[in-house]
Amino acid sequence: MHELPQTLVNGLTLGALYGLIAIGYTMVYGIVQLINFAHGEIFMIGGFGALTIYLWLPSDTALALAIPLMLVGGVIASVGVATAAERFAYRPLRGAPRL
């Protein structure tokens, strides 16, 4: 019986991640009118940025300090890659013909 709350939390978390990626696909296609299949890749780079920050921190770092630092690291990593992709991949395609 104690597995039900954890299963509900896992389902809500996974559903929220799927929803976040789906909203990102919708926004990118709606604004740029190009399909960006690298959206999930940028999302994962944010996760790896957070993991890198976690691994750099000393082992006795408090969780209340580690989580905000990990969030900032993930945001910096994903925004950096997304900005580079927009600058070098999408900006040249904006004036190009559809095919």
Side-chain angles (χ1 to χ4, degrees), residues 42-89:
I42 291 170
F43 187 78
M44 283 304 299
I45 287 176
F48 281 117
L51 177 65
T52 302
I53 295 297
Y54 178 74
L55 294 175
W56 281 350
L57 292 173
S59 61
D60 60 345
T61 304
L63 196 60
L65 176 65
I67 289 179
L69 290 175
M70 290 169 57
L71 285 171
V72 168
V75 166
I76 289 172
S78 61
V79 166
V81 170
T83 302
E86 194 278 330
R87 172 81 172 125
F88 298 113

Side-chain angles (χ1 to χ4, degrees), residues 1-47:
M1 187 67 184
H2 64 280
E3 294 177 6
L4 181 64
Q6 184 63 48
T7 303
L8 289 174
V9 168
N10 289 344
L12 288 172
T13 304
L14 189 59
L17 290 176
Y18 288 163
L20 182 65
I21 291 173
I23 288 172
Y25 277 131
T26 303
M27 288 178 62
V28 167
Y29 183 73
I31 294 170
V32 184
Q33 304 256 322
L34 294 169
I35 296 175
N36 181 8
F37 289 113
H39 185 79
E41 186 175 315
I42 291 170
F43 187 78
M44 283 304 299
I45 287 176

